[in-house]
Amino acid sequence: MTVATKERVIEFRDALQEAMSEEMRVDKRVFLLGEEVAQYNGAYKVSKGMLDEFGPRRIIDTPISESGFSGMAIGAAMRGLRPIVEFMSWSFSLVAADPILNNAPKMLYMSGGQFGCPIVFRGNDGAGGQLASTHSWCVESLYANVPGLKMAIPYDAYDAKGLLKTAIRDDNPVFFLESERLLSTKGHVPEEEYTIEFGKALVRREGTDCTIISFGRPIHFCLEAAEELAKEGISCEIIDGRTIRPLDIETMIASVKKTNACVVVDQSWPFASVGSEIASQIHRYCFDDLDNHVHRVHSDDVPTPYAYNLEQAYLPNSHKICEAVRSATYNI
Amino acid sequence: MPIDITMPRLSDTMEMGTVLHWHVKEGDEVSSGDVLADIETDKATMELQSFDDGVVQNILIAEGEQVSVGTAIARLLEEDEDPNSAPAPEAAAPEKAEPQAAVEEAQQVAQTPPPSTGGARVSPVARRLAEDHGLDLSAIQGSGPSGRIIKRDILQVIDATQETEAAVVSAPQSSNVVANVTPVQQPLAPTSPWQQDRTEKLSNMRQIIAKRLVESKQSIPHYQVSMTFDMDPLMDMRKALNEQLSATGIKLSVNDFLVRCCALAMAEHPAFNASFGGDCILYHGPVNIGMAVALPEERGGGLVVASLRNADQKSLRTISQESSYLAKKARESGLTVEEMADATFTISNLGMFGVEHFTAIINPPNSAILAVGAAIEKPVVRDGELVVGHEMSATLSLDHRVIDGAMAAQYLKTLKEYIENPASLLV
């Protein structure tokens, strides 16, 4: 047991690499493809050392053609392999919308169960830092709308590894949303093997006055806000949903029934978003427990600005979260 | 679904209402528009009509009982609704083993109306907490946006209730001491039966008079300014006009002239047609003169203020007809809320009782009230000669936040010009 709890701190990107490498060692059907994943060790060094270990047949550099290599990987998945497709950024997945949205999530249904599609699409999602409007996409609200896929969005190194291993083992297409801003963050990742079940939210901070629900990078803003609000005597409970599909609404409901107030923080745009979906479900299941309507914090409803100060103001930052929590708890 | 009939809000100031008389009993069929009950509000007695068709399932409060606005007072079953399927108080009773206890419990439930909101905004969790603790939401002030009652408000009431209960329990001995020094609780020993002290429960109207006039006197910085008026020209003109009008049945009173004088003077002095608004002064458009009407003893006494709307636009004849209609209706059957609303200035006239001089308390949100005495025949000086003439004294009570002394004097001067030159009232 002492071994199991030994502190081993590694970077988020290395946790991702460990997850892929471990799964590739035990399952010969698993392989990685994408732009610069092999010889360059990954545009963000996530696949460092993997070409050396697994060779060019399983770590495959592709042309700059998301639509082509995504479609090829989906074909491989239908024929029994288990591909991992790395998008340098989810912003680039938009040109592969037809294969990843129109083929992969529907294949099992359209083939009457003859063909599954066990595939992982992974890459950076959200504003990376002055990448401007077209390279700062948060795809979660856009893509989570599609039935037949799963979607995971890890916040720390531990979850990145545990959730990615589960994603690779899943028989359905999994959209795995990482953040460039989180890749170099460090966290405890045990030596021992573990996986994290999909649909199990994590209470990142316990509190009594307001439930804050979020996913991925904005969890960081939520934790900052909770520190600030604690100084004002407002106690926040932060729930990291971990996966958007499936959604652990039960854990969220239990928390809101306790706090009677709820703020949803979602880095996608506000209209028809993951945030609006969760708010709707909370209103439905917690109607008699709410002291105020569910408040939402999103990126502003504009294309992502390039200027540093505007980009910071655009994000669902801790200032906006504090305002929302104060309003939701009638502390304004 | 059964339909709850709640105590309606029949006037802006109404907080409580009394069911004077039920026109229906349990089991009666009613149609939309049928009169269910007579409701006594703070100022008037009004009919409560049904908005729905159905059968009266329960009458939840007895005649004479007073409840907050919004409280359920009866329950209707919709047509074809099975009374056994409805979650009615009686429906729960048969489960009990002991029939007697069951009946008692049913009665208790029937007498405890469900918590109501009086139409206020309530957050869902606040509503649930209030239900859990049996709190009446209509008695709770909301601190949220637009007065929404929120969780914090309910928790404060629960805390306060617990503290009060604790205080009562912990101080049983001190209550004796209090009783000994409180004269109200210790009537003087009567020497004969007719000297017995007695208490009488306040009527709705007496309660509202007590509440509003204390508020007025405590919150408005009152002061008074008086003036005496030569009434001979007005009395002469009144006599002449009434002789001409005798065939029509119209008889102009001194008060009718005063209503017109005050209204015309108000049109010239807008501050007298205004209300204090905290951080502003609200100048009203229409000039509506309130006329205090004392009610006869057999109608429970008290007084109401009838509203003569747009009095500055109306002839003496119209004012006379309206005021006598309203005074008669007030004394005989009571005024509607509409007939009492929106007065911007009030005249209280005790002249007909021979009173020479008195002061009145401002009727909020007015800024002034005129207390009028009798026009009395007395020795007066006219053009340096001592002669016999009619004089009348009137006293303004004023809200100093709106009207200063010099403004009051100016108003009385204008009033004097109208009263002493009454021909101008005819144009």
Side-chain angles (χ1 to χ4, degrees), chain A residues 158-192:
Chain A
Y158 179 89
D159 279 11
K161 182 171 179 182
L163 289 170
L164 185 53
K165 285 170 72 83
T166 303
I168 295 167
R169 293 178 192 185
D170 201 289
D171 288 333
N172 299 287
V174 177
F175 287 44
F176 200 85
L177 276 46
E178 300 148 15
S179 163
E180 185 189 332
R181 307 300 302 178
L182 296 176
L183 287 178
S184 55
T185 59
K186 291 181 177 178
H188 167 61
V189 176
E191 297 274 7
E192 303 71 36

Side-chain angles (χ1 to χ4, degrees), chain B residues 119-276:
Chain B
R121 293 152 190 259
V122 190
S123 87
V125 73
R127 190 183 296 277
R128 188 169 59 74
L129 280 170
E131 275 172 19
D132 291 349
H133 290 83
L135 299 175
D136 180 6
L137 285 167
S138 64
I140 296 171
Q141 195 74 29
S143 69
S146 306
R148 185 189 303 160
I149 299 171
I150 60 175
K151 183 175 149 190
R152 182 190 302 151
D153 302 323
I154 304 291
L155 295 180
Q156 275 169 2
V157 171
I158 293 169
D159 284 352
T161 312
Q162 284 166 350
E163 275 172 29
T164 312
E165 281 167 2
V168 169
V169 170
S170 67
Q173 286 159 342
S174 60
S175 62
N176 278 334
V177 181
V178 171
N180 285 335
V181 297
T182 308
V184 176
Q185 303 294 327
Q186 294 282 320
L188 295 172
T191 53
S192 50
W194 57 86
Q195 287 179 316
Q196 285 275 11
D197 293 351
R198 66 189 178 90
T199 58
E200 213 172 84
K201 213 165 176 302
L202 293 183
S203 68
N204 259 352
M205 183 179 295
R206 187 51 54 192
Q207 284 180 31
I208 207 84
I209 289 172
K211 184 166 167 246
R212 294 203 54 196
L213 293 186
V214 166
E215 273 173 16
S216 168
K217 196 72 176 165
Q218 284 181 345
S219 66
I220 299 178
H222 280 71
Y223 71 103
Q224 280 78 26
V225 179
S226 300
M227 193 174 267
T228 301
F229 304 91
D230 173 6
M231 293 297 279
D232 284 330
L234 194 147
M235 299 300 270
D236 289 347
M237 182 198 258
R238 173 176 175 245
K239 191 161 172 250
L241 288 174
N242 276 342
E243 275 168 12
Q244 289 167 22
L245 289 169
S246 60
T248 66
I250 292 170
K251 193 178 172 207
L252 304 174
S253 69
V254 173
N255 203 65
D256 297 333
F257 283 84
L258 290 176
V259 168
R260 180 143 169 84
C261 293
C262 286
L264 291 173
M266 282 165 75
E268 289 179 41
H269 299 270
F272 283 75
N273 197 37
S275 299
F276 186 71

